[in-house]
Amino acid sequence: MVTSDLVVQPPQNSGSSHVVNDMSISVATVNGSGSQSSNSVLLRAIFQMGVPVSGKNLFPSNIAGLPTWFTIRANQHGYIARKKEIDFLVAMNPETAKDDVMSLAPGSSVVFDEPLKLSELRTDLVFYSVPYDKILVSVGVEAKVRKLVRNMIYVGVVAQILDIDMKEVEIAIQRQFSKKAKAAALNLSAAKAGFEYAKASLPKQDRFLIERSNKTAGKIIVDGNSAAALGAVFAGVTVVTWYPITPSSSLVETLIEYAKEYRIGADGKSTFAVVQAEDELAAIGMVLGAGWAGARAMTATAGPGISLMAEFAGYSYYAEIPAVVWDVQRVGPSTGLPTRTAQCDVLSTAFLSHGDTKHILLFPASVEECFTMAGDAFDLAERFQTVVFVMSDLDLGMNNWMADPFKYPERPLDRGKVLGKADLERLGGFQRYKDVDGDGIGYRTLPGTDHPGAAYFTRGSGHNEKAQYTEKPDDYANNMERLNRKFETARSHVPRPELVASGKSKIGIIAYGTTHWAIGESRDQLRGEYGLEMDYLRLRGFPFSKEVHEFVKAHDRIYVVEQNRDAQMLTLLKMDLEPALLTRLRSISDMDGLPADARSVTDHIMTMEGK
């Protein structure tokens, strides 16, 4: 794509044999041209043929008119991270076509609109020229709708060239336009026209093929925001407040649709509340009000919204009110790159607000974890009576991922230390901020509890164990120490890290979130190409559990891989580890806004290893 370095890359495969079920297909179009439907059909058709796939959309932060790229990764081994090299280009955008072609490795394939004459640019690529406008006219598509179905022609062309079953394309089109029969028929006719043209006029010249396999049986395709929304519904959310912001908006939009379907009472009335606030500051304030009242409440936002939530985040921490915030991260600072992915809110969110503040963070790496960590977040928020941030990102939230169907949650909801009427009658009363159990967590009551001893003041100012206002130094110090003790308790409750280790290597990798998918592939490259075995620890929560410390102690060198400039997770690790261990940490950070790819990780590690 045009955002990569415009140099000719070395070929990834050699010889004349076919490359089967292992390719990266990039479709370069214009934002707002309707290509999303065509790309989804192409991706799903490959998936339906049993080949593991992922889809990544690189789109501009405007409504229409600027370049956009959609990349489909098909890989028989299940690698679904972005592939750095493009094997098969569909060039539909005249503005970027030349640069897109010049960035390809020799031996790659190009499908292009005939008037662009791209085959004149290079002699080491395979070109397929397609007269899109002539094809549309030949099949009788009316002029007023040609723009809407033009992109579907390349679906048919690519299907013929790569040997994708047109029956699967038809099924995918029917699914894509399931509620629009006329649109489905029109798009199917365009796809068939492209297929027939390629069959008659474009003899196979390249090496790439899709063959039917069985590696997607029983799996689904879904984006992380949809998975998070469904997870929140299963977790018992009843109040959602938000202010729209890319790339988190679709999370709440999807949650609303789920709630309308599954959260309507027998009387026909909604059993949930969704409020679009005037800004992110108001949104988090409403969440805290609902959480204080006993509701499971949440909001979803991105980096700019997180910045606005700082004061209320501190209020949640200090007054001890449960809340859940989904941060679907994008590139910053300021407006930054709203439609590019990053992991650049980690450090600021961990300590969001003024004063001494520490927050629980969760790091989902998959759509399955978006679903399960929605429940984890609410349980932790109520158990520890604080705001919990789920640190997703644009790549995970808005892109298509292959996954196993989500399992119905079997674990009961953890509402934490809530005292009811019977408890208070037995105890006679309670002290809201007293550490009874030694874990730093006090007991609370909910508004409306029918007992005179249930009342207490919720304060964002200085308070003692009884929730009484105070400015006494000892009371403040005791309260802050208790809050820190509570945070330490959380180490054994956050999701445990995932460890992949041979027990023989003294070199390790630490990563988190969607960077995970590049790491698995990179470890295979390092082993296969260089004979270098590397252990791997994937972080899933903060504060760090004991396994993180043990992993660092067990290795001489640790590469911390993340998607930001300033090595934010490495900084958090350095603040948490013993000083003697800090020299073992090395940083690999990318900040280009593109999803992490394995080849870049491998090259970084080998350079730093001096090989």
Side-chain angles (χ1 to χ4, degrees):
M1 61 186 64
V2 76
T3 51
S4 64
D5 294 336
L6 299 179
V7 296
V8 176
Q9 303 290 336
Q12 298 303 303
N13 299 283
S14 58
S16 59
S17 61
H18 287 143
V19 178
V20 179
N21 296 346
D22 184 10
M23 69 195 70
S24 178
I25 305 169
S26 180
V27 182
T29 57
V30 175
N31 196 37
S33 64
S35 60
Q36 186 70 10
S37 295
S38 302
N39 297 331
S40 296
V41 166
L42 188 57
L43 178 141
R44 186 165 287 278
I46 297 173
F47 170 78
Q48 290 165 187
M49 288 186 67
V51 181
V53 291
S54 64
K56 300 190 183 301
N57 191 20
L58 179 64
F59 59 102
S61 55
N62 75 332
I63 297 175
L66 290 183
T68 182
W69 295 265
F70 188 89
T71 302
I72 297 172
R73 176 82 185 271
N75 184 268
Q76 59 188 337
H77 302 297
Y79 297 138
I80 56 176
R82 180 179 70 90
K83 186 179 179 182
K84 187 174 183 180
E85 305 83 13
I86 300 300
D87 300 309
F88 199 103
L89 171 68
V90 179
M92 299 291 290
N93 185 1
E95 182 181 339
T96 68
K98 180 178 179 180
D99 288 342
D100 289 333
V101 167
M102 296 306 295
S103 67
L104 297 174
S108 301
S109 300
V110 182
V111 171
F112 68 97
D113 193 5
E114 187 176 63
L116 297 179
K117 300 180 179 179
L118 297 181
S119 56
E120 299 176 0
L121 295 175
R122 292 175 59 174
T123 59
D124 57 351
L125 304 176
V126 176
F127 289 94
Y128 297 101
S129 177
V130 180
Y132 290 93
D133 292 333
K134 293 179 182 178
I135 295 174
L136 285 170
V137 171
S138 68
V139 295
V141 177
E142 298 179 20
K144 63 181 180 180
V145 295
R146 287 174 189 167
K147 181 180 178 181
L148 300 178
V149 299
R150 194 172 190 267
N151 289 321
M152 201 61 73
I153 290 177
Y154 69 66
V155 174
V157 171
V158 173
Q160 164 60 25
I161 294 173
L162 296 182
D163 204 20
I164 300 171
D165 192 337
M166 268 302 291
K167 292 181 180 178
E168 301 297 354
V169 173
E170 181 174 354
I171 292 171
I173 289 175
Q174 295 294 345
R175 182 186 180 95
Q176 184 71 25
F177 301 98
S178 59
K179 298 180 180 179
K180 301 176 180 179
K182 186 176 180 180
L186 189 62
N187 280 276
L188 180 57
S189 67
K192 286 183 175 179
F195 184 89
E196 292 302 325
Y197 175 83
K199 184 177 181 180
S201 307
L202 301 177
K204 179 74 172 177
Q205 302 176 62
D206 65 282
R207 296 169 294 153
F208 302 103
L209 285 175
I210 296 293
E211 288 185 358
R212 193 171 290 277
S213 184
N214 61 352
K215 296 184 178 180
T216 64
K219 294 186 179 294
I220 61 174
I221 291 179
V222 67
D223 62 89
N225 281 352
S226 295
L230 187 61
V233 171
F234 274 87
V237 67
T238 56
V239 177
V240 182
T241 67
W242 67 310
Y243 183 80
I245 182 173
T246 301
S248 70
S249 297
S250 63
L251 195 162
V252 179
E253 291 165 351
T254 306
L255 198 156
I256 292 171
E257 295 305 312
Y258 283 136
K260 287 180 178 178
E261 185 171 358
Y262 299 112
R263 289 295 180 81
I264 304 299
D267 58 0
K269 295 182 179 180
S270 299
T271 59
F272 66 95
V274 178
V275 181
Q276 182 172 325
E278 60 266 33
D279 53 33
E280 292 89 348
L281 182 63
I284 184 70
M286 294 176 188
V287 167
L288 292 178
W292 173 83
R296 286 200 152 185
M298 62 165 280
T299 187
T301 189
I306 290 291
S307 298
L308 288 176
M309 294 178 182
E311 185 173 357
F312 266 135
Y315 180 70
S316 170
Y317 174 81
Y318 193 56
E320 299 180 70
I321 301 173
V324 170
V325 177
W326 280 81
D327 179 11
V328 188
Q329 297 170 89
R330 69 190 209 188
V331 176
S334 189
T335 303
L337 302 177
T339 57
R340 301 290 187 269
T341 195
Q343 297 173 319
C344 58
D345 298 346
V346 174
L347 196 56
S348 60
T349 305
F351 306 107
L352 191 66
S353 195
H354 51 281
D356 293 321
T357 310
K358 298 177 183 176
H359 298 300
I360 296 172
L361 310 180
L362 304 183
F363 306 108
S366 64
V367 291
E368 292 99 330
E369 287 189 334
C370 283
F371 178 79
T372 59
M373 285 189 178
D376 294 337
F378 281 111
D379 284 353
L380 289 166
E382 294 199 304
R383 164 59 56 182
F384 289 92
Q385 304 168 22
T386 191
V387 60
V388 172
F389 294 91
V390 188
M391 309 301 288
S392 181
D393 60 37
L394 184 147
D395 183 24
L396 179 56
M398 294 190 70
N399 285 328
N400 295 307
W401 296 82
M402 187 178 67
D404 291 320
F406 305 146
K407 296 180 180 178
Y408 195 96
E410 298 179 352
R411 185 182 65 194
L413 305 184
D414 184 355
R415 303 306 305 269
K417 297 183 178 183
V418 179
L419 298 175
K421 180 180 179 180
D423 300 314
L424 292 169
E425 287 178 348
R426 175 172 52 84
L427 296 171
F430 81 113
Q431 297 181 43
R432 171 67 180 93
Y433 297 113
K434 183 177 178 63
D435 183 4
V436 177
D437 303 316
D439 57 6
I441 308 170
Y443 284 81
R444 65 179 178 133
T445 58
L446 301 180
T449 304
D450 186 18
H451 191 281
Y456 67 90
F457 280 103
T458 302
R459 302 180 185 274
S461 55
H463 48 266
N464 60 19
E465 292 180 342
K466 299 179 180 180
Q468 297 169 331
Y469 176 77
T470 177
E471 295 187 14
K472 294 180 179 179
D474 287 347
D475 285 337
Y476 176 77
N478 289 337
N479 195 39
M480 292 299 289
E481 287 298 329
R482 179 185 60 80
L483 289 172
N484 195 58
R485 192 159 58 251
K486 181 171 73 169
F487 188 76
E488 290 298 313
T489 300
R491 290 184 188 275
S492 59
H493 287 76
V494 298
R496 288 289 197 271
E498 180 183 74
L499 176 63
V500 181
S502 65
K504 301 177 181 179
S505 178
K506 300 302 290 183
I507 310 173
I509 300 174
I510 291 178
Y512 59 100
T514 51
T515 308
H516 164 70
W517 301 103
I519 301 303
E521 186 177 356
S522 174
R523 290 180 67 243
D524 288 345
Q525 291 175 355
L526 290 164
R527 185 187 306 110
E529 298 172 16
Y530 299 98
L532 181 61
E533 184 69 45
M534 299 191 72
D535 293 339
Y536 174 41
L537 185 81
R538 178 170 68 88
L539 301 172
R540 301 175 67 232
F542 175 78
F544 304 124
S545 60
K546 64 179 182 179
E547 291 90 344
V548 179
H549 294 247
E550 292 170 352
F551 184 80
V552 176
K553 289 179 180 178
H555 295 85
D556 295 335
R557 293 186 300 285
I558 304 285
Y559 291 96
V560 183
V561 184
E562 49 190 316
Q563 298 175 67
N564 55 64
R565 184 193 68 183
D566 295 336
Q568 295 184 24
M569 185 61 75
L570 183 143
T571 301
L572 273 185
L573 287 166
K574 285 185 174 181
M575 296 173 69
D576 208 62
L577 294 168
E578 300 172 17
L581 300 176
L582 303 188
T583 57
R584 303 185 183 192
L585 301 181
R586 311 280 192 276
S587 174
I588 295 178
S589 294
D590 283 322
M591 54 177 176
D592 56 9
L594 302 176
D597 71 273
R599 180 55 57 186
S600 294
V601 174
T602 299
D603 290 347
H604 277 305
I605 288 176
M606 293 313 301
T607 297
M608 297 174 77
E609 284 289 301
K611 299 180 181 179

